[in-house]
């Protein structure tokens, strides 16, 4: 549940504060053009014409300026609106990583040293990149590796406090967008918490924070909103109302410190250093709309939504009892079951008997509230499938969530001598009861047996669809998230609605060759698998052809940081 709390950040802890003395109405609404200009680096006359401001971002940092060991210590601001604010990488622990959100040949900001002395790294612009007394938007991708304490992603510091901050909170165990009511040594902070707690580590997550003054001078109308993977986290919060309920007075103010990536700054002291990677960060001096946030979360680049290979288990070169994970990401090898699973050197594949064989690893490897793509190269054993009863469901690969599969690729047998591919998503509540289910169930397309097939499932978390109220069919609302299925290069049309709008995150076993459905673990696959690949981001049809099916594309990187 989204909450708004008035608190103070003191020595790394969030504590309640006594109410601040109320300011006058005139004081609360004062925000001169010269003050705004000082914060943003723009001429005062440009700032005052709010409706004439350009629509583009005023700062964008792709963090692709250097590579590990290059000695490059500046991340260029590539926006084109207003003055530029390049970010300097500071301390020995800041660098570049090939694990980056736009895929092969991209880089990200690396803040994940294993050396304790280098774990206070960050990047910073030298002056304020955005005016915090007026509407603004933060947008960034974060790859968090350590949740043992709070971890700052982006923040705008003043002399005493931080006007806005986007971070992981160890206290609330989730993502937070916060706003302080004044540049005070004991700052009253209004926090906007994400709906979900305990977000998965070592996955890419898109975060956005929006502050909207609604183009007027009355602070009572200002709103605060957090988005995670393009989804608004509850209703917008009014800082003035939340502060007033605690006996405090709210007033927008200009934070003049440089924009920080990867650390907090409170009374001039750094803290809450980020562990992991930050990429594709941007700021606007206006409030982006919900549709614009969706567009940012899709990360369009060169005309297509970007994707990043985050896991690849390749059985074609494996031997023994494990299948190595060969992407740059630090996932463990899949382990074969004690019986029924063999790495067949003759077939260069994992062979599964359909009764007890599978391979598994601890998941998850993607943030499933965001977009992702999964593809398996699989060959069904026709003779063994023919012996299975009608209605049999064999999991090719999937991520477990309790006694269900959060996402899965399936081979199903609806009638005798007929087989189909299927891609599903399932959400459950705290008791394990299924609350949402969506499936791509082909109308006519059949699965071939005894031949190698690339089966690809896509979950597009930013793709809107219409939801009809079952109690009143005339009432509809827009939902987020659709499923798509490709067999080879062929897009499979579905006989059912593929919309899925639940926030569902799997955990535990990620398995190839068996799964969990309807509370029962089993659903063993009779056949063989060559490889399983998973990407952050929703692929298009062209990308499936060029990245999944093209054998000349090498998804791996020789080294990573």
């Amino acid at each position: 549940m989204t909450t708004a709390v008035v608190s103070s950040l003191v020595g790394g802890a969030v504590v309640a504060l006594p109410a601040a003395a109320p300011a006058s109405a005139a004081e609360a609404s004062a925000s001169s053009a010269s003050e705004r200009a000082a914060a943003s680096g723009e001429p005062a006359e440009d700032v005052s014409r709010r409706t004439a401001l350009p629509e583009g971002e005023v700062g964008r940092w792709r963090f692709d300026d250097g590579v590990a060991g290059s000695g490059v210590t500046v991340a260029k601001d590539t926006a084109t609106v207003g003055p530029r604010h390049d970010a300097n990488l500071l301390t020995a622990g800041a660098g570049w990583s090939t694990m980056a959100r736009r895929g092969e040949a991209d880089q990200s900001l690396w803040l994940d040293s294993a050396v304790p002395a280098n774990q206070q790294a960050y990047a910073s612009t030298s002056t304020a990149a955005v005016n915090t007394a007026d509407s603004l938007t933060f947008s960034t991708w974060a790859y968090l590796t350590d949740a043992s304490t709070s971890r700052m992603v982006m923040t705008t510091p003043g002399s005493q406090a931080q006007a806005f901050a986007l971070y992981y909170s160890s206290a609330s165990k989730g993502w937070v967008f916060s706003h302080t009511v004044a540049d005070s040594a004991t700052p009253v902070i209004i926090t906007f918490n994400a709906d979900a707690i305990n977000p998965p580590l070592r996955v890419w997550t898109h975060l956005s924070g929006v502050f909207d003054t609604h183009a007027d001078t009355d602070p009572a109308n200002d709103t605060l909103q957090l988005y995670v993977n393009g989804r608004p986290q509850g209703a917008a919060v009014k800082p003035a109302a939340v502060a007033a309920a605690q006996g405090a007075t709210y007033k927008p103010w200009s934070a003049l410190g440089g924009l920080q990536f990867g650390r907090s700054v409170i009374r001039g002291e750094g803290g809450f250093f980020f562990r992991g990677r930050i990429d594709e960060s941007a700021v606007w001096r206006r409030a982006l709309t919900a549709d614009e946030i969706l567009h940012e979360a899709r990360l369009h680049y060169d005309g297509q939504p970007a994707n990043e290979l985050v896991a690849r288990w390749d059985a074609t070169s494996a031997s023994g009892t494990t299948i190595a994970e060969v992407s740059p990401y630090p996932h463990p090898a899949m382990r074969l079951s004690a019986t029924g699973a063999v790495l067949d050197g003759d077939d260069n594949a994992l062979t599964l008997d359909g009764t007890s064989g599978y391979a598994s690893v601890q998941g998850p490897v993607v943030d499933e509230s965001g977009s992702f793509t999964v593809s398996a190269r699989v060959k069904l054993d026709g003779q063994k499938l023919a012996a299975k009863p009608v209605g049999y469901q064999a999991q090719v690969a999937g991520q477990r969530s309790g006694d269900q599969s959060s996402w899965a690729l399936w081979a199903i047998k609806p009638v005798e001598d007929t087989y189909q591919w299927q891609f599903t998503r399932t959400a459950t509540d705290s008791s394990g009861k299924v609350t949402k289910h969506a499936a791509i169930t082909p109308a006519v397309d059949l699965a071939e047996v005894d031949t190698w097939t690339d089966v690809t499932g896509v979950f597009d978390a930013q793709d809107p669809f219409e939801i009809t109220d079952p109690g009143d069919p005339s009432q509809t609302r827009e939902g987020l998230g659709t499923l798509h299925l490709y067999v080879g290069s062929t897009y499979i049309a579905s006989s059912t609605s593929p919309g899925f709008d639940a926030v569902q995150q799997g955990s535990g076993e990620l398995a190839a060759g068996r799964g969990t459905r309807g509370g029962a673990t089993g659903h063993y696959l009779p056949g063989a698998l060559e490889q399983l690949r998973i990407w952050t981001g929703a692929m298009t049809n062209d990308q499936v052809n060029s990245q999944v099916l093209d054998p000349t594309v090498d998804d791996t990187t020789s080294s990573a940081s």
Side-chain angles (χ1 to χ4, degrees):
M1 177 180 293
T2 301
T3 58
V5 182
V6 177
S7 55
S8 174
L9 205 55
V10 179
V14 180
V15 298
L17 282 183
S24 67
E27 203 177 6
S29 63
S31 180
S32 68
S34 59
E35 180 181 273
R36 295 196 300 271
S40 62
E42 309 158 47
E45 60 271 19
D46 288 344
V47 179
S48 63
R49 294 196 300 268
R50 186 177 305 175
T51 58
L53 287 175
E55 292 294 318
E57 63 269 29
V58 296
R60 185 175 290 276
W61 300 266
R62 296 201 179 276
F63 296 113
D64 59 358
D65 308 85
V67 297
S70 64
V72 176
T73 60
V74 176
K76 292 291 186 181
D77 174 3
T78 61
T80 58
V81 177
R84 301 281 55 78
H85 297 88
D86 296 341
N88 297 303
L89 277 61
L90 299 167
T91 83
W96 312 98
S97 172
T98 58
M99 295 159 60
R101 185 54 188 83
R102 283 190 287 119
E104 190 177 359
D106 191 21
Q107 301 286 320
S108 64
L109 174 62
W110 177 75
L111 303 171
D112 203 21
S113 176
V115 179
N118 292 337
Q119 291 174 0
Q120 295 188 351
Y122 62 99
S124 173
T125 64
S126 58
T127 58
V130 67
N131 174 27
T132 62
D134 211 338
S135 296
L136 59 81
T137 301
F138 287 169
S139 173
T140 191
W141 285 88
Y143 180 90
L144 180 65
T145 61
D146 185 319
S148 60
T149 188
S150 294
R151 303 291 185 185
M152 187 62 60
V153 183
M154 296 174 69
T155 187
T156 53
S159 61
Q160 300 291 322
Q162 303 175 127
F164 293 94
L166 192 58
Y167 62 103
Y168 170 81
S169 167
S170 58
S172 62
K173 299 186 183 301
W175 298 111
V176 171
F177 184 47
S178 69
H179 180 30
T180 60
V181 302
D183 192 13
S184 166
T186 55
V188 175
I189 305 173
I190 300 168
T191 60
F192 196 118
N193 297 337
D195 294 335
I197 62 171
N198 297 317
L201 299 181
R202 298 176 185 85
V203 300
W204 284 108
T205 299
H206 185 259
L207 306 170
S208 294
V210 177
F211 173 63
D212 193 352
T213 65
H214 298 279
D216 63 36
T217 58
D218 185 357
N221 297 325
D222 294 356
T223 56
L224 203 66
Q225 178 73 65
L226 171 66
Y227 294 80
V228 178
N229 288 318
R231 293 176 182 266
Q233 304 297 287
V237 168
K238 289 189 173 183
V242 177
Q246 301 294 324
T249 300
Y250 159 73
K251 174 187 174 183
W253 57 281
S254 295
L256 303 183
L259 182 65
Q260 306 291 305
F261 303 92
R263 74 160 183 171
S264 63
V265 179
I266 300 173
R267 298 188 292 280
E269 295 293 326
F272 291 152
F273 294 95
F274 192 79
R275 291 290 307 278
R277 290 154 184 82
I278 297 172
D279 204 6
E280 300 298 320
S281 302
V283 293
W284 289 256
R285 58 189 176 198
R286 64 183 180 90
L288 265 62
T289 65
D291 285 344
E292 289 174 313
I293 296 292
L294 283 177
H295 183 81
E296 277 295 303
R298 296 188 90 160
L299 189 58
H300 279 82
Y301 190 72
D302 288 341
Q304 298 231 11
N307 60 76
E308 163 74 340
L309 181 78
V310 295
R312 178 184 176 186
W313 289 275
D314 187 352
T316 62
S317 58
S319 61
T321 60
T322 62
I323 304 171
E325 201 284 307
V326 296
S327 82
Y329 286 77
H331 304 303
M334 276 193 168
R335 293 193 172 275
L336 275 58
S337 56
T339 62
V342 178
L343 288 167
D344 186 344
D346 293 333
D347 208 12
N348 290 323
L350 170 64
T351 300
L352 303 167
D353 66 357
T355 58
S356 65
Y358 67 98
S360 65
V361 68
Q362 179 72 24
V365 299
V366 290
D367 187 336
E368 296 166 20
S369 68
S371 297
F372 63 91
T373 300
V374 56
S375 184
R377 185 162 175 76
V378 58
K379 181 168 65 174
L380 301 177
D381 187 316
Q383 183 178 356
K384 291 181 178 179
L385 265 180
K388 297 293 184 181
V390 170
Y392 189 76
Q393 302 166 333
Q395 181 170 290
V396 178
Q399 172 63 61
R400 185 168 182 162
S401 176
D403 60 359
Q404 302 288 336
S405 290
S406 176
W407 63 260
L409 291 169
W410 303 87
I412 63 176
K413 183 178 180 178
V415 296
E416 200 67 53
D417 299 323
T418 299
Y419 314 106
Q420 292 178 317
W421 302 110
Q422 191 180 66
F423 179 50
T424 64
R425 291 229 56 195
T426 303
T428 59
D429 61 19
S430 58
S431 69
K433 179 182 177 181
V434 173
T435 57
K436 293 286 179 68
H437 179 76
I440 293 288
T441 304
V444 294
D445 299 84
L446 304 183
E448 295 185 57
V449 298
D450 302 317
T451 185
W452 286 108
T453 304
D454 290 287
V455 184
T456 304
V458 176
F459 176 63
D460 189 343
Q462 288 81 43
D463 186 21
F465 66 96
E466 193 171 81
I467 301 174
T468 301
D469 184 345
D472 183 358
S474 66
Q475 299 298 312
T476 62
R477 63 182 175 86
E478 187 177 271
L480 298 177
T482 54
L483 282 71
H484 307 274
L485 177 65
Y486 297 85
V487 178
S489 61
T490 302
Y491 179 75
I492 304 301
S494 179
S495 61
T496 58
S497 173
F500 184 78
D501 67 340
V503 177
Q504 174 65 33
Q505 180 61 56
S507 61
E509 180 183 88
L510 192 165
R514 82 162 181 181
T516 306
R517 198 170 195 177
T521 298
H523 303 286
Y524 293 99
L525 174 71
L529 284 97
E530 282 190 345
Q531 65 176 338
L532 172 64
R533 290 175 288 175
I534 303 174
W535 293 260
T536 292
M539 284 192 185
T540 65
N541 187 65
D542 287 344
Q543 289 171 326
V544 169
N545 282 317
S546 63
Q547 294 180 249
V548 175
L549 304 179
D550 188 346
T552 65
V553 175
D554 183 5
D555 292 311
T556 61
T557 304
S558 58
S559 63
S561 58

